[in-house]
């Protein structure tokens, strides 16, 4: 994926040297869980996931310019076997929450999706109780589409109410009016 840049961030593909930074935020309990995965309990686990990020090339590392650390990720996962339909997912190190970092990162990634990648549709979902993610989704101009129940395997099949939103070219264009 093409490297992107914002005021405070570089959004770039993950590399193997990011392992320590990745493990540092992925091991914190209660962060990944909000995005549907269990916090990591070993660096080996983070290494396996990191290799996946690198080989699939569908997740951006968020590098914080000020200190060069990787502090989170923004995923653009292909869905319905259609490269022009993707799902946006994101996680940020707890140390950087509530400073507008993910608003800044997602705004640029969404711009890239519609102005450069030419996506037809971008989906984004949150668990019912995740009001911070809901705020980011709405602030970015996504439209609510539907609600569904899902048993999340990675969280011991716990059942969640999931809210689904989407953006398409028209919605993206109307945000700029
Ligand atoms: C979701 C997450 C990425 C947000 O990152 P962040 O950089 O802290 O978010 P931002 O600071 O850019 O924006 C947060 C917004 O939520 C608002 N907010 C904060 N706490 C809130 C709350 N309890 N209820 C509602 N809104 C809240 C903030 O005011 C801000 O909105 P504003 O810009 O209008 O003021 C981060 O909390 C995280 O990593 N959570 C765990 C993983 C996760 O939930 N991923 C998403 C899965 S769908």
């Amino acid at each position: 994926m093409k490297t992107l840049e914002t005021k405070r961030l570089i959004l770039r593909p993950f590399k193997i040297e990011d392992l320590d930074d990745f493990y540092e935020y992925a091991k914190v309990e209660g962060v990944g869980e909000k995005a549907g995965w269990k916090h990591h309990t070993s660096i080996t686990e983070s290494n396996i996931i990191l290799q996946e990020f690198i080989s699939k090339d569908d997740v951006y590392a968020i590098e914080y310019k000020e200190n060069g650390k990787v502090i989170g990720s923004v995923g653009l996962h292909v869905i319905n076997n259609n490269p022009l339909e993707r799902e946006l997912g994101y996680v940020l190190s707890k140390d950087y929450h509530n400073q507008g970092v993910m608003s800044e990162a997602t705004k640029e990634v969404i711009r890239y999706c519609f102005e450069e990648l030419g996506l037809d549709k971008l989906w984004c979902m949150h668990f019912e109780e995740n009001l911070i993610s809901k705020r980011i989704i709405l602030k970015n101009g996504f439209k609510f589409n539907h609600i569904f129940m899902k048993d999340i395997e990675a969280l011991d099949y716990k059942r969640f109410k999931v809210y689904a939103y989407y953006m398409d070219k028209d919605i993206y264009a109307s945000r700029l009016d």
Side-chain angles (χ1 to χ4, degrees):
M1 291 194 297
K2 182 190 160 189
T3 295
L4 305 172
E5 194 171 344
T6 67
K7 192 161 165 264
R8 290 178 290 175
L9 315 169
I10 295 173
L11 306 166
R12 55 148 177 90
F14 270 96
K15 44 190 188 202
I16 205 65
E17 295 79 15
D18 299 326
L19 180 59
D20 289 340
D21 289 346
F22 179 38
Y23 180 53
E24 192 177 320
Y25 72 78
K27 72 181 178 190
V28 176
E29 194 168 354
V31 177
E33 278 80 359
K34 294 201 173 97
W37 48 272
K38 251 190 200 159
H39 64 282
H40 297 180
T41 53
S42 71
I43 197 158
T44 311
E45 191 182 350
S46 295
N47 192 24
I48 293 167
I49 312 285
L50 183 62
Q51 304 284 352
E52 271 176 37
F53 287 171
I54 294 170
S55 67
K56 282 194 183 160
D57 195 29
D58 63 354
V59 180
Y60 274 116
I62 303 175
E63 186 181 311
Y64 200 62
K65 282 185 191 171
E66 198 178 296
N67 55 15
K69 265 176 103 76
V70 169
I71 59 166
S73 66
V74 180
L76 275 181
H77 312 286
V78 170
I79 53 172
N80 299 328
N81 276 326
N82 176 0
L84 294 181
E85 190 167 353
R86 307 253 185 151
E87 182 178 341
L88 181 73
Y90 40 81
V91 167
L92 185 68
S93 160
K94 212 169 183 171
D95 296 342
Y96 294 81
H97 282 188
N98 275 315
Q99 300 170 33
V101 170
M102 200 51 80
S103 301
E104 188 173 321
T106 51
K107 186 176 175 209
E108 172 60 9
V109 170
I110 292 165
R111 185 205 62 74
Y112 170 66
C113 284
F114 289 100
E115 294 189 12
E116 298 192 45
L117 275 185
L119 288 198
D120 288 335
K121 221 169 208 183
L122 183 64
W123 290 91
C124 197
M125 327 225 168
H126 69 80
F127 294 155
E128 183 175 31
E129 43 287 307
N130 195 344
L131 299 180
I132 305 183
S133 186
K134 177 179 182 179
R135 172 76 190 126
I136 290 179
I137 291 169
L138 293 177
K139 209 164 72 164
N140 272 311
F142 282 86
K143 293 268 175 281
F144 172 74
N145 195 69
H146 64 287
I147 294 173
F148 61 100
M149 301 303 295
K150 189 168 183 194
D151 302 326
I152 306 287
E153 184 181 353
L155 298 177
D156 303 324
Y157 291 98
K158 194 173 160 198
R159 174 159 283 222
F160 288 88
K161 193 170 187 179
V162 185
Y163 285 59
Y165 304 75
Y166 75 100
M167 185 172 303
D168 59 19
K169 289 174 180 161
D170 292 341
I171 297 170
Y172 180 75
S174 70
R175 291 157 73 241
L176 304 176
D177 291 345

